[in-house]
């Protein structure tokens, strides 16, 4: 905290001109809790699917089951939040009208579609394997389903390997989604945001693994949670240090409170994960702290973006400095 | 493609009548935007948005009268002046020479339009005179349009006139174009859920007519035509204004080398762009998209790496502490047996499942095993 206040004092008061103090750019219209919760669930689902793949490859069936179910549930509920966020939810399928590499949201829609489909197959096969009695009941009452259940284990294993790819993208594309805007606090953070979100995703998936797996099998989940906490904390610190004036919104007001809470919760949760061992209380505390920290980062990032857009200072001052340094932006028109 | 069409808005002859705003609303059936008196100036609409496709910015400036020796007199004046100088001193630590001389040679600058919007309450001091700046702002129809680039549905498209238009029957209101626009033009109309902005009267252009705002403009401050012609005309106009002793006149958005590849709707301004609420050096956000994906790719690989490290480290720990055997061999083989039996007859599954649990218990010892977690 002390260090933070010192940093604040070191940022010189920026003088600039504006139109009656009005914003130059529009603030993001995305709502709470939809957008930040989607960011959290997408990250959770993405990292959990990678965890499921590795748990499967190393023969940790119980952790694999947890991770597969977490990945599927996260992706499905996340997609629900994303659809509810649309101004015209009934047109959500228009997202798949085009495949557009210049739009991170288009790429994200395709990634989410593939990822949620694959994680659902992976989770279905894992659940079927874990509940053989129920599965056999279905196949006896519905003989046609037996062909599907016979295929499920192989399909599930293939799907979970594929989700390792879609999952790692799921957990990081949302950083590009935010960065690819005119919002200075997001755009200028395009180096650190992916690592912030990847770390946050790792921490949240590790937390889910710790909370919903027998402790003896949750060892890797604890390690994932701790590493994720380290990555998230480091990326956040580097980001605020490098951005200077543009990064100020991450330290101010509600956004600042959320980001500081995230840092405390994540660092604390990560530390606890390393010492939790077989203690149920410590495991639960650590898992909950990491989950809360991961949520706080997403809410904080959205709020910082809003703040960054609402104050013309963050738009005008860096652009003015660029001009006065004789380095105007240039993206020439194609001849 | 037909010739690229555009707007040249010459703010030096804008009289702030807002006929363009009205004509735009009438023709395009744009809903009202609240009828709010903003109490800052004669500006009613504030900014461009979903329901304001032409916005007349209105800036009331008080600038000091320069006495012999260039010193300003009067309280309001000197305050403005010092504010202005402080402002430029902070922002332009390097290379402000040109800026400075321009100001001194020209009209000087009114400083009351500060970041906090302060100073508006001050009336013109006894030795300051007023200047009104008026400018009809509009969508810039960028050469490199960020809204168009990031639209995930293809609702935004480039017309045969080189303009950027939203297809209202496609837009699903994702809202991504809104923060992507470097000018803060496009916005989501919350009561209908879709994104809206100026179409440069696409329908009128298809019918061979000029856009409603340009048609209604009584002073031809808004000029419509082929972009190349407009650019030439604008250059001539700026030169003429300079010759007439108005060196503060400058073009905004006319250069095809700027951060958005040039605007389809560009302006002649009489002060810095930010005074009109325009970004001084806008850049299309997708310029940095390849870099962004590279960093995200690095983060994705790091995520998988961190995950792999966690599993490998844990396996090593297990090997050292001798716990791996139980889980790795016994549990795996028992589970395999379980699957085999399940495929055959369901009754035996329960028995083996119990055996599996016993294997787990054996591995974990007695501590805590009675407390659940399915063990």
């Amino acid at each position: 905290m002390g260090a933070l206040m010192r940093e604040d004092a070191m940022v010189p008061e920026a003088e600039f001109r504006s139109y009656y103090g009005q914003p130059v750019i529009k603030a993001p219209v995305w709502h709470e809790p939809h957008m930040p919760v989607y960011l959290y669930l997408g990250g959770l689902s993405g990292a959990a699917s990678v965890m499921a793949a590795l748990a499967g490859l190393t023969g940790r069936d119980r952790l694999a089951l947890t991770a597969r179910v977490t990945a599927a549930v996260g992706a499905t509920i996340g997609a629900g939040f994303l659809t509810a966020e649309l101004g015209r939810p009934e047109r959500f399928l228009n997202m798949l009208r085009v495949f557009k590499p210049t739009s991170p949201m288009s790429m994200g829609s395709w990634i989410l579609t593939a990822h949620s489909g694959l994680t659902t197959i992976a989770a279905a096969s894992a659940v079927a394997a874990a509940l053989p009695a129920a599965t056999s009941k279905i196949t006896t009452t519905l003989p046609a389903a037996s062909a599907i259940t016979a295929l499920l284990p192989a399909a599930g294993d293939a799907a979970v390997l594929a989700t390792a790819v879609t999952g790692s993208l799921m957990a990081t594309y949302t950083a590009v989604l935010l960065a690819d805007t005119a919002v200075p606090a997001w755009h200028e953070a395009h180096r650190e945001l992916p690592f912030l979100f990847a770390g946050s995703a790792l921490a949240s998936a590790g937390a889910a693994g710790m909370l919903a797996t027998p402790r003896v099998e949750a060892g890797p989940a604890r390690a994932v949670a701790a590493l994720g906490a380290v990555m998230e904390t480091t990326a956040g610190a580097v980001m605020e240090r490098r951005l200077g004036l543009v990064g100020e919104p991450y330290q101010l007001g509600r956004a600042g409170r959320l980001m500081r809470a995230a840092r405390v919760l994540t660092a604390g949760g990560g530390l606890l994960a390393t010492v939790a061992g077989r203690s149920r209380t410590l495991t639960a505390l650590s898992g909950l702290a990491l989950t809360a920290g991961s949520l706080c980062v997403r809410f904080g990032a959205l709020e910082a973006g809003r703040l960054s857009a609402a104050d013309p200072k963050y738009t005008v001052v860096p652009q003015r400095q660029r001009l006065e340094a004789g380095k105007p932006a240039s993206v020439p028109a194609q001849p | 493609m037909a010739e690229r069409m555009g707007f040249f808005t010459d703010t030096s002859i804008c009289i702030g009548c807002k006929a363009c705003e009205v004509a735009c609303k009438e023709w395009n059936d744009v809903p009202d935007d609240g009828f709010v008196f903003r109490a800052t100036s004669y500006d009613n609409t504030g900014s461009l948005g979903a329901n304001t496709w032409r916005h007349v910015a209105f800036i009331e400036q008080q600038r000091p009268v320069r006495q012999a020796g260039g010193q300003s007199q009067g309280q309001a004046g000197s305050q403005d002046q010092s504010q202005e100088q402080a402002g430029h001193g902070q922002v332009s630590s390097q290379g402000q020479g040109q800026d400075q001389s321009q100001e001194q040679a020209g009209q000087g600058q009114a400083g009351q339009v500060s970041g906090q919007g302060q100073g508006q309450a001050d009336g013109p001091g006894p030795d300051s005179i007023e200047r009104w700046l008026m400018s009809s702002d509009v969508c810039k129809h960028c050469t490199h349009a960020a809204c168009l680039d990031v639209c995930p549905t293809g609702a935004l498209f480039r017309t045969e006139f080189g303009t950027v238009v939203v297809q209202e029957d496609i837009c699903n209101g994702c809202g991504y174009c809104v923060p992507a626009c470097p000018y803060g033009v496009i916005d989501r109309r919350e009561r209908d859920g879709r994104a809206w902005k100026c179409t440069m009267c696409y329908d009128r252009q298809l019918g061979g007519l000029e856009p409603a705002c340009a048609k209604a403009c009584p002073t031809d401050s808004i000029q419509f035509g082929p972009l190349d012609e407009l650019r030439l005309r604008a250059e001539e106009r700026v030169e003429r204004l300079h010759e007439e002793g108005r060196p503060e006149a400058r073009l905004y958005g006319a250069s095809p080398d700027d951060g958005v590849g040039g605007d389809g709707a560009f302006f002649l301004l009489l002060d810095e762009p930010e005074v009109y609420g325009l970004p001084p050096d806008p850049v299309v956000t997708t310029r940095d998209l390849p870099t962004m994906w590279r960093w995200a790719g690095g983060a994705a690989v790091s995520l998988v790496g961190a995950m792999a490290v966690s599993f490998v480290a844990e396996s090593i720990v297990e090997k050292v502490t001798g716990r791996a055997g139980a889980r790795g061999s016994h549990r795996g083989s028992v589970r395999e047996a379980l699957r085999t039996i399940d495929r055959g007859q369901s009754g035996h599954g329960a028995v083996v499942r119990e055996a599996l649990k016993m294997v787990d218990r054996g591995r974990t010892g007695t501590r805590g095993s009675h407390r659940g977690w399915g063990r």
Side-chain angles (χ1 to χ4, degrees):
Chain A
M1 279 313 218
L4 237 155
M5 306 227 333
R6 198 154 31 84
E7 272 174 23
D8 277 353
M10 278 163 64
V11 175
E13 193 61 36
E15 293 286 340
F16 65 103
R17 304 172 78 198
S18 75
Y19 185 66
Y20 303 109
Q22 288 186 192
V24 172
I25 58 168
K26 292 270 184 287
V29 292
W30 297 320
H31 300 122
E32 285 179 4
H34 307 68
M35 187 63 185
V37 169
Y38 168 69
L39 296 180
Y40 162 77
L41 289 173
L44 171 70
S45 171
S49 65
V50 180
M51 190 157 78
L54 282 166
L57 289 175
T58 54
R60 299 167 194 275
D61 294 349
R62 190 59 185 77
L63 182 59
L65 172 66
T66 304
R68 283 189 189 199
V69 172
T70 305
V73 170
T76 310
I77 300 179
F81 271 103
L82 202 58
T83 306
E85 168 56 49
L86 296 176
R88 287 287 175 103
E90 75 279 9
R91 292 186 182 175
F92 72 97
L93 276 180
N94 281 8
M95 287 292 188
L96 306 183
R97 228 182 127 253
V98 291
F99 182 86
K100 203 167 162 186
T102 61
S103 169
M105 195 179 280
S106 171
M107 302 314 287
S109 299
W110 287 104
I111 292 169
L112 174 62
T113 304
H115 182 73
S116 56
L118 290 167
T119 50
T120 306
I121 295 171
S125 80
V127 170
L131 299 170
T135 311
S136 60
K137 200 169 278 174
I138 292 172
T139 47
T140 40
T141 49
L142 258 178
S146 64
I148 297 173
T149 48
L151 278 175
L152 257 184
D157 290 346
V160 87
L161 287 177
T163 60
V165 178
T166 58
S168 60
L169 294 173
M170 233 357 248
T172 48
Y173 97 83
T174 47
V176 182
L177 184 77
L178 297 195
D180 194 27
T181 61
V183 176
W186 288 351
H187 186 97
E188 298 308 319
H190 63 259
R191 293 185 192 175
E192 294 89 358
L193 272 182
F195 287 92
L196 183 75
F197 284 7
S200 176
L202 281 168
S204 59
M210 285 162 62
L211 288 174
T213 313
R215 289 189 298 286
V216 71
E217 269 214 55
R222 282 191 290 273
V224 166
L227 274 180
V230 170
M231 195 191 278
E232 182 187 327
T233 309
T234 310
V238 170
M239 181 174 81
E240 283 175 24
R241 199 154 292 248
R242 191 179 67 88
L243 291 187
L245 171 75
V246 169
E248 220 176 63
Y250 291 103
Q251 297 163 11
L252 299 177
R254 181 164 168 264
R257 285 196 294 279
L258 284 164
M259 295 305 281
R260 284 191 292 274
R263 200 168 299 169
V264 170
L265 287 165
T266 303
L271 273 178
L272 268 184
T274 56
V275 298
R278 293 190 184 174
S279 158
R280 174 164 309 181
T281 317
L282 289 184
T283 300
L285 268 180
S286 165
L288 291 176
L290 288 169
T291 303
S294 186
L295 276 165
C296 280
V297 159
R298 314 312 176 111
F299 278 85
L302 177 62
E303 187 63 21
R306 286 187 185 145
L307 201 61
S308 170
D311 191 333
K313 174 168 67 176
Y314 304 117
T315 306
V316 171
V317 171
Q319 294 189 13
R320 190 39 71 195
Q321 282 171 342
R322 211 154 61 206
L323 287 176
E324 271 151 22
K327 292 174 188 161
S330 180
V331 188
Q334 273 86 30
Chain B
M1 193 168 105
E3 211 169 0
R4 185 174 178 190
M5 305 301 278
F7 282 134
F8 165 43
T9 306
D10 179 355
T11 72
S12 68
I13 50 172
C14 177
I15 55 171
C17 70
K18 303 185 179 73
C20 49
E21 287 191 14
V22 176
C24 174
K25 279 208 187 270
E26 287 285 336
W27 182 266
N28 295 298
D29 202 15
V30 180
D32 81 74
D33 30 29
F35 300 108
V36 179
F37 176 58
R38 307 181 67 84
T40 51
S41 69
Y42 292 104
D43 177 354
N44 310 97
T45 43
S47 60
L48 291 171
N51 300 332
T52 306
W53 298 356
R54 268 279 177 189
H55 162 242
V56 178
F58 198 110
I59 301 122
E60 295 187 60
Q61 292 182 333
Q62 282 92 46
R63 64 175 203 280
V65 175
R66 282 168 199 276
Q67 308 285 333
Q71 281 301 317
S72 59
Q73 303 284 315
Q75 204 179 2
S78 57
Q79 191 187 352
D80 288 346
Q81 183 75 5
S82 62
Q83 208 175 55
E84 173 63 18
Q85 281 170 349
H88 273 269
Q90 287 286 350
V91 177
S92 57
S93 43
Q94 316 111 313
Q96 64 164 351
Q98 196 192 348
D99 218 23
Q100 191 79 354
S101 62
Q102 198 180 59
E103 271 167 41
Q104 281 166 355
Q107 310 280 333
Q109 305 277 324
Q112 92 281 13
V113 189
S114 73
Q116 270 60 39
Q118 289 163 348
Q120 280 305 299
D122 301 340
D127 296 306
S128 62
I129 57 166
E130 283 185 79
R131 175 168 79 147
W132 282 3
L133 296 176
M134 288 151 285
S135 166
S136 180
D137 196 9
V138 70
C139 170
K140 313 302 176 292
H141 296 276
C142 309
T143 303
H144 303 299
C147 60
L148 174 58
D149 282 349
V150 305
C151 175
T153 63
L156 275 152
F157 78 113
R158 176 86 56 188
T159 72
E160 61 270 45
F161 305 111
T163 54
V164 180
V165 173
V166 190
Q167 300 173 79
E168 60 201 52
D169 55 337
I170 305 289
C171 175
N172 66 2
C174 76
Y176 199 17
C177 51
V178 177
C181 173
Y183 300 98
V185 170
I186 195 165
D187 203 358
R188 191 158 77 180
R189 192 179 287 165
E190 287 305 326
R191 59 188 129 169
D192 116 325
R194 292 172 290 179
W196 298 90
K197 72 168 192 74
C198 161
T199 69
M200 208 182 270
C201 284
Y202 185 41
D203 51 349
R204 288 177 64 90
Q205 284 199 53
L206 285 171
L209 299 168
E210 68 176 321
C213 55
K215 184 80 184 173
C217 181
T219 65
D220 254 356
S221 167
I222 300 172
Q223 298 172 35
F224 168 78
L227 192 57
D228 292 339
E229 277 180 32
L230 291 178
R231 280 175 177 161
L232 290 176
R233 204 185 299 169
E235 292 289 349
E236 286 169 14
R237 174 70 182 155
V238 169
E239 271 170 37
R240 214 178 112 196
L241 284 170
H242 287 178
E243 281 164 16
E244 287 175 2
R246 304 183 72 180
E248 74 277 17
R250 82 276 319 257
L251 293 181
Y252 176 79
S255 166
D257 294 324
D258 70 14
V260 296
D263 290 329
F266 64 98
F267 300 81
L268 187 155
L269 303 178
L270 299 175
D271 206 331
E272 304 286 3
E274 55 265 41
V275 171
Y276 296 87
L278 296 164
D281 188 33
V283 57
V284 58
T285 182
T286 39
R287 176 193 68 178
D288 302 322
L289 192 55
T291 316
M292 292 177 197
W293 279 121
R294 271 197 289 280
W295 283 90
V301 170
S302 306
L303 183 146
V304 175
M307 203 61 95
V309 165
S310 303
F311 276 84
V312 169
E314 192 61 22
S315 295
I316 291 170
V317 169
E318 280 179 0
K319 219 159 257 171
V320 170
T321 56
R323 279 193 282 136
R327 199 209 62 248
S329 55
H330 296 182
R331 189 184 169 97
S333 53
V334 173
R335 183 166 288 278
E336 195 44 52
L338 180 68
R339 276 196 193 136
T340 316
I341 290 166
D342 279 341
R343 269 179 225 128
Q345 251 180 327
S346 59
H348 296 165
V351 178
V352 183
R353 185 161 302 283
E354 199 47 48
L356 181 65
K357 280 182 185 161
M358 287 166 72
V359 170
D360 276 348
R361 273 190 212 115
R363 178 159 52 92
T364 59
T366 52
R367 184 167 163 255
S369 63
H370 60 285
R371 278 196 282 175
W373 289 111
R375 255 182 273 145

